Amino acid sequence: MSERDLSKSNELFQRAKRVIPGGVYGHQSPSLLVPGSFPTFISKAEGCRLTDPDGNEYIDFLCAYGPMVVGYRNPQVEEAVERQRHQCDSGNLPAPNMVELAERLVGLTPGIDWTVFAKNGSDAASWSLAIARAATGRELVAMVERTYHGVHGWANMMHEGFPAAERANIVSFAWNDAEGLERLADEHAGKLAAVIVTPFKHEAFGDSVMPAPGFLDTVRTVATRSGAAMIVDDVRAGFRLDMRGSAQLWGVTPDMILYSKALANGYPLSAVLGNDGLRDAAKRVFVTGTFFTQAVPIAASLATLDYLEANDGIARMRELGNRFCKGLSDRAEEAGLAVTLSGPPAIPFMTFQKDEGSFERSRVFAAACAARGVFVHPCHNWFVSTAHSEADVDFALDVAAEAFETVNGQFEEA
Ligand SMILES: Cc1ncc(COP(=O)(O)O)c(C=O)c1O
């Protein structure tokens, strides 16, 4: 149980359970956490700080699971949003700023000639497969096993409720197994429409794994040789590692790139970016959505990109992330705990080696952090934003040092 008063949060959760199945969706479901250790709702968010319904404040290292990249209610983004809100948002037609954002993304991204917009990463991922299938006249898609590309049937890791037929055209290979991918491509020669990968492996319930040297190059080569589209699902990592698309960090140029999360600093927007070879297919695939024309998220996106560029946001997040990761590993060592820090500094994650995948110590650690005003998740990677300051990171490190002691206190052999 938290030392903080979470009574309003808990009351809301009891009400929610009656009218919302499970009460709270996804990773923040209390079933994944030490019972009663986290608030279940957030009332206010500003910069890198959250306030729960009981008035407790947290420095947030989950950043809304990625979208918040330049700070909750970032003044420049909010000003652009307000300006656009006074013009139009949802409409029969898109607003002129859709063209501006498409041009901006095409200009930013090597090898990319067009962009189409949607509302979330799952839709963007499914749409990109449809484009690849329309372009190649093939149905099979290769993806990395146990990789999250959204909640649609082909990608959803929880199979409950989805017919097996939805996964019938998916074949998989292991992350960083270049030979395995080559074998798979040979086995399905002439049948692959696409190979879809994330820029690094960032699954919940596991350490993040960076691409082995040459792995993304092999994906590129195999896709080209197979006549398949290489899709990089940058939904989670986009605009935290490289403004040109995360794959450029490894010198790789995909045929399609998927963005969402950080693209509009929390406003609902996703994008599929592609090259000229796929343009006709993108024209033929019918996709639409009630809110696809929304101009406010597009205004938010343009302002977010402006802010990141003007403030050298990528370098800033890398510096802060490095400070955070180094501090965590130093504090853990001082506490006599063996931890693994994984992922790029701007999207870090920490696990306890003695947990061996159980996340027991991680749960206790995250609960102890929440009780002291730092929001991290035990089983899902964390995020750094440009709104964090050195002082915020240092505060979090002091809290982590106390949380390590709590772990030591609760596990005989920590
Ligand atoms: C790599 C990746 N692809 C797709 C998705 C799905 O995005 P959304 O939740 O916006 O549908 C996510 C969400 O976490 C993701 O991390």
Short mmCIF file of all heavy atoms in Angstrom, two decimals, residues 82-105:
data_model
loop_
_atom_site.label_atom_id
_atom_site.label_comp_id
_atom_site.label_asym_id
_atom_site.label_seq_id
_atom_site.Cartn_x
_atom_site.Cartn_y
_atom_site.Cartn_z
N GLU A 82 -4.58 26.19 -29.66
CA GLU A 82 -5.66 27.17 -29.45
C GLU A 82 -5.94 27.95 -30.74
O GLU A 82 -7.08 28.17 -31.11
CB GLU A 82 -5.28 28.16 -28.34
CG GLU A 82 -5.65 27.68 -26.95
CD GLU A 82 -7.05 27.06 -26.88
OE1 GLU A 82 -8.04 27.76 -27.20
OE2 GLU A 82 -7.16 25.88 -26.53
N ARG A 83 -4.85 28.32 -31.41
CA ARG A 83 -5.00 29.07 -32.66
C ARG A 83 -5.80 28.25 -33.66
O ARG A 83 -6.74 28.73 -34.28
CB ARG A 83 -3.62 29.41 -33.24
CG ARG A 83 -3.46 30.87 -33.58
CD ARG A 83 -2.09 31.21 -34.16
NE ARG A 83 -1.00 30.90 -33.25
CZ ARG A 83 0.03 30.13 -33.56
NH1 ARG A 83 0.16 29.58 -34.75
NH2 ARG A 83 1.00 29.89 -32.67
N GLN A 84 -5.43 26.95 -33.79
CA GLN A 84 -6.12 26.10 -34.76
C GLN A 84 -7.56 25.82 -34.33
O GLN A 84 -8.47 25.80 -35.16
CB GLN A 84 -5.36 24.78 -34.95
CG GLN A 84 -5.94 23.90 -36.04
CD GLN A 84 -5.99 24.59 -37.40
OE1 GLN A 84 -5.03 25.23 -37.83
NE2 GLN A 84 -7.13 24.50 -38.09
N ARG A 85 -7.76 25.67 -33.03
CA ARG A 85 -9.12 25.40 -32.53
C ARG A 85 -10.08 26.53 -32.91
O ARG A 85 -11.26 26.31 -33.14
CB ARG A 85 -9.09 25.25 -31.00
CG ARG A 85 -10.11 24.24 -30.48
CD ARG A 85 -10.27 24.30 -28.98
NE ARG A 85 -9.11 23.88 -28.21
CZ ARG A 85 -8.72 22.62 -28.08
NH1 ARG A 85 -9.37 21.66 -28.65
NH2 ARG A 85 -7.66 22.33 -27.34
N HIS A 86 -9.53 27.75 -32.98
CA HIS A 86 -10.38 28.88 -33.38
C HIS A 86 -10.65 28.90 -34.89
O HIS A 86 -11.51 29.64 -35.34
CB HIS A 86 -9.78 30.21 -32.92
CG HIS A 86 -10.01 30.45 -31.46
ND1 HIS A 86 -9.11 30.08 -30.49
CD2 HIS A 86 -11.06 30.97 -30.80
CE1 HIS A 86 -9.59 30.37 -29.31
NE2 HIS A 86 -10.77 30.91 -29.46
N GLN A 87 -9.89 28.14 -35.64
CA GLN A 87 -10.12 28.06 -37.09
C GLN A 87 -11.06 26.90 -37.40
O GLN A 87 -12.18 27.09 -37.82
CB GLN A 87 -8.79 27.83 -37.83
CG GLN A 87 -7.74 28.89 -37.58
CD GLN A 87 -8.14 30.23 -38.15
OE1 GLN A 87 -8.63 30.31 -39.27
NE2 GLN A 87 -7.95 31.28 -37.39
N CYS A 88 -10.59 25.67 -37.20
CA CYS A 88 -11.41 24.47 -37.40
C CYS A 88 -10.64 23.28 -36.87
O CYS A 88 -9.42 23.34 -36.68
CB CYS A 88 -11.74 24.26 -38.88
SG CYS A 88 -10.31 23.86 -39.89
N ASP A 89 -11.38 22.21 -36.60
CA ASP A 89 -10.73 20.95 -36.21
C ASP A 89 -11.26 19.85 -37.12
O ASP A 89 -10.80 19.71 -38.23
CB ASP A 89 -10.99 20.66 -34.72
CG ASP A 89 -10.17 19.49 -34.21
OD1 ASP A 89 -9.21 19.10 -34.91
OD2 ASP A 89 -10.48 18.96 -33.14
N SER A 90 -12.28 19.09 -36.68
CA SER A 90 -12.88 18.08 -37.56
C SER A 90 -13.68 18.79 -38.64
O SER A 90 -14.39 19.76 -38.35
CB SER A 90 -13.84 17.20 -36.77
OG SER A 90 -13.13 16.26 -36.03
N GLY A 91 -13.59 18.30 -39.86
CA GLY A 91 -14.35 18.94 -40.93
C GLY A 91 -14.61 17.99 -42.07
O GLY A 91 -14.13 16.85 -42.06
N ASN A 92 -15.38 18.47 -43.06
CA ASN A 92 -15.62 17.64 -44.25
C ASN A 92 -14.32 17.37 -44.99
O ASN A 92 -14.16 16.36 -45.64
CB ASN A 92 -16.52 18.37 -45.26
CG ASN A 92 -17.84 18.77 -44.66
OD1 ASN A 92 -18.16 18.31 -43.56
ND2 ASN A 92 -18.59 19.59 -45.35
N LEU A 93 -13.44 18.35 -44.87
CA LEU A 93 -12.17 18.29 -45.60
C LEU A 93 -11.04 18.56 -44.62
O LEU A 93 -11.26 19.18 -43.58
CB LEU A 93 -12.16 19.37 -46.68
CG LEU A 93 -13.27 19.31 -47.72
CD1 LEU A 93 -13.33 20.62 -48.51
CD2 LEU A 93 -13.03 18.14 -48.66
N PRO A 94 -9.85 18.14 -44.96
CA PRO A 94 -8.71 18.51 -44.10
C PRO A 94 -8.45 20.01 -44.14
O PRO A 94 -8.87 20.68 -45.08
CB PRO A 94 -7.52 17.75 -44.70
CG PRO A 94 -8.04 16.98 -45.85
CD PRO A 94 -9.45 17.36 -46.13
N ALA A 95 -7.75 20.50 -43.16
CA ALA A 95 -7.33 21.91 -43.15
C ALA A 95 -6.00 22.02 -43.91
O ALA A 95 -5.30 21.01 -44.08
CB ALA A 95 -7.18 22.39 -41.72
N PRO A 96 -5.64 23.23 -44.33
CA PRO A 96 -4.38 23.40 -45.07
C PRO A 96 -3.16 22.86 -44.31
O PRO A 96 -2.17 22.44 -44.93
CB PRO A 96 -4.28 24.91 -45.27
CG PRO A 96 -5.69 25.40 -45.20
CD PRO A 96 -6.41 24.50 -44.25
N ASN A 97 -3.24 22.84 -42.97
CA ASN A 97 -2.03 22.43 -42.24
C ASN A 97 -1.68 20.96 -42.45
O ASN A 97 -0.56 20.54 -42.17
CB ASN A 97 -2.12 22.80 -40.75
CG ASN A 97 -3.19 22.06 -39.98
OD1 ASN A 97 -3.90 21.22 -40.52
ND2 ASN A 97 -3.31 22.37 -38.69
N MET A 98 -2.63 20.15 -42.99
CA MET A 98 -2.29 18.75 -43.29
C MET A 98 -1.20 18.68 -44.36
O MET A 98 -0.27 17.87 -44.29
CB MET A 98 -3.53 17.97 -43.72
CG MET A 98 -3.21 16.50 -43.95
SD MET A 98 -4.63 15.51 -44.48
CE MET A 98 -5.37 15.10 -42.91
N VAL A 99 -1.32 19.58 -45.34
CA VAL A 99 -0.31 19.60 -46.41
C VAL A 99 1.04 20.03 -45.83
O VAL A 99 2.09 19.46 -46.13
CB VAL A 99 -0.73 20.56 -47.55
CG1 VAL A 99 0.28 20.53 -48.69
CG2 VAL A 99 -2.12 20.23 -48.05
N GLU A 100 0.96 21.03 -44.95
CA GLU A 100 2.19 21.54 -44.33
C GLU A 100 2.92 20.44 -43.55
O GLU A 100 4.14 20.27 -43.66
CB GLU A 100 1.80 22.68 -43.38
CG GLU A 100 2.90 23.68 -43.12
CD GLU A 100 2.46 24.70 -42.06
OE1 GLU A 100 1.28 25.11 -42.06
OE2 GLU A 100 3.31 25.04 -41.24
N LEU A 101 2.14 19.65 -42.78
CA LEU A 101 2.79 18.60 -41.98
C LEU A 101 3.32 17.48 -42.88
O LEU A 101 4.42 16.97 -42.64
CB LEU A 101 1.83 18.04 -40.92
CG LEU A 101 2.44 16.98 -40.01
CD1 LEU A 101 3.68 17.51 -39.27
CD2 LEU A 101 1.42 16.46 -38.99
N ALA A 102 2.55 17.13 -43.92
CA ALA A 102 3.04 16.10 -44.84
C ALA A 102 4.35 16.56 -45.48
O ALA A 102 5.33 15.81 -45.56
CB ALA A 102 1.99 15.78 -45.90
N GLU A 103 4.38 17.83 -45.91
CA GLU A 103 5.62 18.36 -46.51
C GLU A 103 6.76 18.34 -45.51
O GLU A 103 7.91 18.01 -45.84
CB GLU A 103 5.40 19.81 -46.99
CG GLU A 103 4.58 19.91 -48.26
CD GLU A 103 4.17 21.34 -48.63
OE1 GLU A 103 4.34 22.27 -47.79
OE2 GLU A 103 3.65 21.53 -49.74
N ARG A 104 6.44 18.70 -44.29
CA ARG A 104 7.47 18.75 -43.23
C ARG A 104 8.07 17.36 -43.00
O ARG A 104 9.28 17.19 -42.91
CB ARG A 104 6.80 19.26 -41.96
CG ARG A 104 7.71 19.44 -40.77
CD ARG A 104 8.50 20.73 -40.92
NE ARG A 104 9.22 21.00 -39.69
CZ ARG A 104 8.76 21.76 -38.71
NH1 ARG A 104 7.59 22.35 -38.82
NH2 ARG A 104 9.49 21.95 -37.62
N LEU A 105 7.20 16.35 -42.89
CA LEU A 105 7.68 14.99 -42.62
C LEU A 105 8.48 14.45 -43.81
O LEU A 105 9.52 13.80 -43.63
CB LEU A 105 6.51 14.07 -42.27
CG LEU A 105 5.84 14.38 -40.92
CD1 LEU A 105 4.55 13.58 -40.75
CD2 LEU A 105 6.77 14.13 -39.74
#
